[in-house]
Amino acid sequence: MNKDWKIETLAIQAGYEPENGAARVVPIVQSTTYRYDDVQSVADLFDLKREGFFYTRLANPTVDAFEKKIAAMEGGVAAVALSSGQTANAFALMNIARCGDHVLALSSLYGGTVSLFTNTLKKAGIEVSFVTPDMDEAAVAAQVRSNTKALFVEALANPALVVADFEKYAKVAHDNGIPLIVDNTFPTPVLCRPFEFGADIVTHSTTKYIDGHAVAVGGIVVEKGGFNWSCGKFPEFTEPDESYHGLVYTKDFAAAPFSVKLRVQLVRDYGVPMMPFNAFLASLGTETLPLRMERHSSNALELAEFLKNHPKVSWVNYPGLADNPENALVKKYFTGGMASGVLCFGVKGGRAAGEKVMNSLKLAAIVVHVADTRTGVLHPASMTHRQLSEAELEAAGVSPDLIRVTVGLENIEDIKADFDQALAMA
Ligand code: PLP
């Protein structure tokens, strides 16, 4: 791999370098285990003395190639692919914080992440509290506690479409010696590379644009490298791990201590890796990601402009619109000012009228998903965010009438015509 390659080249070439006569496309290594000639070889693998594969719960060649591809695209040193985006976010935090610790998070997050933080991690003794996007640096810093171990934000919030002001959050995190974790699912590394703006860890639901065809659930955690885990706040990184013969992650795996620890502790013990076939599909999807993100973004912008001018539409939220409050941050952080393929809008007449429009769409389907080739719609308050309280809905930027559109790659004239005929029914 050439380190100067641009993102379009990395999306295709990074992660897999076939040897003479080997398969040109990364093969699906659908094998649980791997054969060795002697006992010592396997013992060395178990002791992490050499790299290789011994059991697919921990590592697999197809998954490994995908991890290397995404790490290269994000500009990180290593990545660990997991069974879902939920696992990626859970493990990113659990790798750093333990029972009795605290994590600060931005309030505008995907509903499943809020639920993970406020229910499941809470039960495990990790407390997550929230700051709102309008809080300035001093106000955010005031929420950091002595036991705060990370700051977590979503690059482009689902579905609030708030853009995280990375530099603000990176400053607060680093002033306090803690890492900034960014869920970069919606922009993908094609539109935004959070490591360039101070993030230390990036997560993805690869289920979304990275796969891009709605065929494989998956997640990934990427490590930038270079974070100072030795400041005294993270003893699990700097003290011997008795479950691994006393190895010290910052000493024995100095280049990528976060990723090695996540794999050999959390993936080993909870056992939720990405499966080889899903890694193959996600890898194939990634090859066209740069092209797709351009078209998703231009189609979304055109649909947003169309809806904004439609007499039956009461409001439109798309950060790519020049008059959107998030547009300045899109221009600052996102490649070419492109704002990805998701927009939200409300119909005059509120929730009931909105439901009528959704039921009348013919090309756009009602789906609990975003970010694939097909246009789809969803009503978060009654679907993805159903478990959230009124207050949590408001904090997540979800109004009762909000319709979320995932704008696909169909011809934009056909997409607009579909919304036009459905709005006529409201
Ligand atoms: N993060 C974001 C921003 C998401 O939109 C989602 C799912 O919609 C997730 C995480 C969870 O990902 P998954 O559904 O792959 O578990």
Side-chain angles (χ1 to χ4, degrees):
M1 192 185 85
N2 180 331
K3 68 175 178 36
D4 295 327
W5 277 342
K6 310 275 185 301
I7 198 100
E8 295 81 358
T9 313
L10 293 172
I12 293 166
Q13 299 282 349
Y16 173 62
E17 291 176 29
E19 284 166 14
N20 193 27
R24 181 67 190 96
V25 178
V26 65
I28 306 168
V29 181
Q30 195 67 39
S31 180
T32 304
T33 190
Y34 306 82
R35 186 200 158 273
Y36 287 94
D37 284 338
D38 58 88
V39 171
Q40 193 55 45
S41 303
V42 185
D44 287 349
L45 286 168
F46 266 96
D47 283 351
L48 306 179
K49 284 186 183 144
R50 51 178 272 219
E51 283 187 28
F53 305 98
F54 56 95
Y55 194 53
T56 284
R57 168 151 48 82
L58 278 152
N60 165 282
T62 316
V63 180
D64 179 70
F66 176 62
E67 290 169 342
K68 291 195 164 93
K69 187 192 286 284
I70 300 298
M73 290 173 75
E74 285 287 4
V77 293
V80 182
L82 297 155
S83 60
S84 70
Q86 284 297 104
T87 319
N89 283 335
F91 279 13
L93 287 192
M94 289 163 69
N95 203 34
I96 298 172
R98 59 183 174 188
C99 183
D101 285 339
H102 168 254
V103 170
L104 203 55
L106 196 54
S107 60
S108 48
L109 295 176
Y110 164 62
T113 310
V114 174
S115 173
L116 165 72
F117 288 179
T118 54
N119 299 309
T120 302
L121 287 187
K122 189 175 171 194
K123 281 186 221 157
I126 299 171
E127 189 192 350
V128 182
S129 68
F130 296 92
V131 291
T132 51
D134 58 325
M135 287 164 79
D136 66 12
E137 191 188 308
V140 176
Q143 299 303 312
V144 177
R145 308 175 190 172
S146 58
N147 62 343
T148 304
K149 294 296 166 74
L151 181 49
F152 183 100
V153 304
E154 219 165 282
L156 175 58
N158 172 15
L161 303 179
V162 171
V163 180
D165 191 348
F166 299 120
E167 284 172 3
K168 173 169 79 178
Y169 300 115
K171 173 96 175 37
V172 173
H174 297 157
D175 282 353
N176 289 281
I178 59 173
L180 174 64
I181 306 174
V182 176
D183 180 334
N184 197 30
T185 297
F186 268 26
T188 82
V190 172
L191 298 188
C192 178
R193 304 216 314 161
F195 291 153
E196 291 172 5
F197 306 112
D200 303 288
I201 308 293
V202 158
T203 65
H204 285 279
S205 164
T206 62
T207 320
K208 303 294 178 301
Y209 288 111
I210 285 183
D211 157 27
H213 299 77
V215 289
V217 173
I220 198 162
V221 182
V222 192
E223 174 180 13
K224 179 185 181 188
F227 182 80
N228 178 19
W229 301 105
S230 304
C231 64
K233 286 193 178 213
F234 307 99
E236 284 194 33
F237 285 79
T238 55
E239 290 172 9
D241 178 355
E242 294 314 332
S243 76
Y244 251 109
H245 316 305
L247 74 79
V248 175
Y249 294 101
T250 45
K251 189 163 125 292
D252 297 311
F253 294 97
F258 178 89
S259 305
V260 174
K261 179 174 175 296
L262 194 153
R263 188 185 302 280
V264 305
Q265 289 183 343
L266 296 170
V267 184
R268 176 194 64 178
D269 291 349
Y270 287 102
V272 279
M274 181 175 277
M275 288 293 128
F277 188 52
N278 278 18
F280 173 80
L281 292 170
S283 197
L284 198 59
T286 308
E287 293 187 12
T288 54
L289 186 63
L291 276 176
R292 289 189 286 105
M293 291 316 291
E294 272 183 40
R295 182 61 66 85
H296 279 298
S297 300
S298 63
N299 273 2
L301 181 60
E302 205 168 324
L303 183 65
E305 275 160 356
F306 167 80
L307 291 172
K308 213 176 107 185
N309 295 318
H310 199 287
K312 294 220 171 147
V313 171
S314 50
W315 59 269
V316 177
N317 180 14
Y318 181 62
L321 289 170
D323 60 358
N324 186 283
E326 301 300 303
N327 194 248
L329 290 178
V330 168
K331 290 208 172 105
K332 183 171 176 185
Y333 294 125
F334 290 10
T335 310
M338 288 186 282
S340 199
V342 180
L343 65 85
C344 297
F345 73 105
V347 180
K348 283 180 187 161
R351 188 169 173 159
E355 271 180 30
K356 221 171 194 176
V357 171
M358 285 178 67
N359 291 338
S360 306
L361 287 162
K362 295 192 168 90
L363 179 153
I366 297 173
V367 285
V368 182
H369 190 239
V370 281
D372 70 87
T373 54
R374 300 157 198 86
T375 298
V377 288
L378 171 134
H379 183 237
S382 50
M383 299 176 184
T384 45
H385 288 60
R386 199 175 175 77
Q387 270 98 35
L388 266 56
S389 66
E390 295 264 310
E392 283 172 338
L393 279 177
E394 203 188 314
V398 179
S399 58
D401 66 337
L402 186 152
I403 296 173
R404 186 187 72 184
V405 187
T406 170
V407 186
L409 303 179
E410 302 93 341
N411 187 291
I412 186 59
E413 296 307 324
D414 294 333
I415 299 173
K416 285 193 292 188
D418 191 35
F419 278 86
D420 203 25
Q421 66 79 24
L423 282 160
M425 305 291 175

